[in-house]
Amino acid sequence: MILCEQCPDNPACRNCLLELRSGGSAQKVLPPRKVKVTELATMETSQAQLIAVSRTAIGLLSSTKKLHGRMEVELAFDFRIIGSGLQGINGVPYYVVDIEKVLRKEEVLERLLLEEFHTWHMCNELNPTDVLHSYKDRDDERGRLIKQELQKLSILRQIETIFLYLLDDGKVRPLGSNRAAPDVEGEMQRLIGEATVHGNSLREQIVSHDGKKVFEMYASILPDRTCGIALIDVTAAIAEERRRKRREWEIYRDILGVVTAGKLLLLSDEELFFLLREGHKSLAMDIQAPEDLALLRRSFKRTLEPLGFVAKRFLHFLVAVNEAASNTLKHGSGGTITLYIAHDQDLCRVVIHDQGQGILLEDLPRATLQQGFSTRNSLGAGFHVMLQYCDRIYLSSTAAGTKLILECALTS
């Protein structure tokens, strides 16, 4: 590919436009426009010709000086572009400058572009915290607006795990050098296709292929029909939230254990699984309607009486099981009752499982210990009967439902 000898005056030639890689949004500048170029690393200045423009890049012809690195292109006394340059066509002094931000004298801090934020966030060219000192005592409307935007930038700049992208003409490009792993970018591009097709904003969660990273993705359609994407690494935040919930859960577990003298214990699903492995399943049935309760009582009597269950204890335990089963009907749509008998046949455990909304952790003390506290998700007033007539109660409650295990010795 060569630069046309008549460029940019020959509208039929698109070589200089193709190098911008901006699809159909690139246009020629007719006639070419003289611009001032300042290399930011050395502050050396030179003259060039602006011959092609797009929303994301510009094309410069510079026959007197090679252009490279980050630069400022002054188009007019109040209009400048900051970008990074590279040679576009081999053997021709034609350079493509990727636009990082556009600065206007009256709008530089009043209308912050996505590209501007990213540049400020990722480099030390302009530290918004430093600029804030100049606006500390400003009390006019414009000063307050500038101060507010700078404060936002100061906060966001401290976030090291945010990646910004732009979807333009079907291609995703990062706004700067900071970018996520290729597999995450691939999943991101797949998801934002929906946003661009329907013209809607999109929020999705992305998990890396190895399962070690979790990202929140926000995609918004911009006025020029491109799509801006913010990708935030929330792995650490999720891990910390899980640790916090675990610590909170352990506190509630200890409190309930102490208050009930060890009769009420909170267990995880994993702990419940290993607990039930200590016995074998002897009976299982669904409770869907009040008439099922009578069948439940008869089935338990038929299964447990031959094991030498003391009559009075058996009656009390059956009352507790009946209360637990009734609660699945009162506060939900029924549940499953399963009887396990220990391998040495010295105790039995009954698992009552409903698939309701579960009980909030902060409601557990009231739902289990406070008489008269009853909501759709609580264990009901009968819970005090269960505590009185069982040797121990194990409880696990999540958004997937509540599991209650009533334990009673068979011989004592």
Side-chain angles (χ1 to χ4, degrees), residues 332-376:
S333 55
T336 302
I337 313 295
T338 308
L339 171 64
Y340 290 85
I341 298 176
H343 296 307
D344 55 9
Q345 297 193 347
D346 64 342
L347 62 82
C348 65
R349 297 186 177 105
V350 179
V351 181
I352 300 93
H353 181 202
D354 71 66
Q355 296 181 346
Q357 297 177 355
I359 307 171
L360 294 176
L361 189 59
E362 56 266 30
D363 285 340
L364 273 176
R366 290 181 295 169
T368 56
L369 303 177
Q370 180 179 326
Q371 293 197 42
F373 179 81
S374 181
T375 69
R376 188 177 186 279

Side-chain angles (χ1 to χ4, degrees), residues 96-241:
V96 174
V97 179
D98 287 330
I99 298 174
E100 295 179 8
K101 66 183 176 187
V102 178
L103 303 178
R104 293 180 178 85
K105 184 177 180 181
E106 296 298 324
E107 298 178 1
V108 57
L109 292 176
E110 201 168 61
R111 297 179 61 189
L112 296 171
L113 304 180
L114 189 63
E115 291 91 339
E116 285 186 75
F117 156 68
H118 184 74
T119 303
W120 285 12
H121 166 57
M122 295 304 297
C123 75
N124 293 318
E125 178 191 332
L126 179 58
N127 191 329
T129 305
D130 295 338
V131 182
L132 266 172
H133 294 298
S134 304
Y135 291 88
K136 182 179 179 181
D137 300 321
R138 288 277 298 270
D139 198 32
D140 58 285
E141 183 177 353
R142 177 178 170 79
R144 286 194 298 271
L145 174 63
I146 294 173
K147 183 178 179 180
Q148 176 180 303
E149 296 301 329
L150 286 170
Q151 287 170 334
K152 292 178 184 178
L153 286 174
S154 297
I155 296 171
L156 290 172
R157 185 174 182 143
Q158 300 175 43
I159 303 175
E160 298 179 355
T161 53
I162 182 170
F163 309 93
L164 299 179
Y165 295 83
L166 188 71
L167 177 69
D168 190 9
D169 196 30
K171 298 179 181 178
V172 172
R173 68 176 181 89
L175 297 174
S177 58
N178 196 23
R179 61 192 305 169
D183 65 296
V184 175
E185 288 188 352
E187 181 67 7
M188 176 186 69
Q189 179 149 4
R190 184 186 69 81
L191 289 171
I192 62 177
E194 179 182 343
T196 55
V197 169
H198 299 289
N200 298 324
S201 297
L202 181 69
R203 176 184 176 182
E204 290 283 351
Q205 192 172 86
I206 298 176
V207 180
S208 62
H209 286 180
D210 60 10
K212 295 181 179 180
K213 291 285 187 178
V214 182
F215 299 87
E216 287 283 347
M217 185 196 75
Y218 302 84
S220 298
I221 302 299
L222 302 179
D224 60 355
R225 296 181 178 275
T226 59
C227 182
I229 305 113
L231 192 67
I232 304 173
D233 186 342
V234 295
T235 308
I238 290 177
E240 178 57 33
E241 178 65 12

Side-chain angles (χ1 to χ4, degrees), residues 269-290:
D269 279 346
E270 182 180 6
E271 291 169 327
L272 288 177
F273 172 77
F274 285 106
L275 179 70
L276 296 177
R277 288 186 64 183
E278 298 174 3
H280 61 274
K281 185 189 299 185
S282 298
L283 176 68
M285 63 179 296
D286 293 330
I287 301 296
Q288 302 295 333

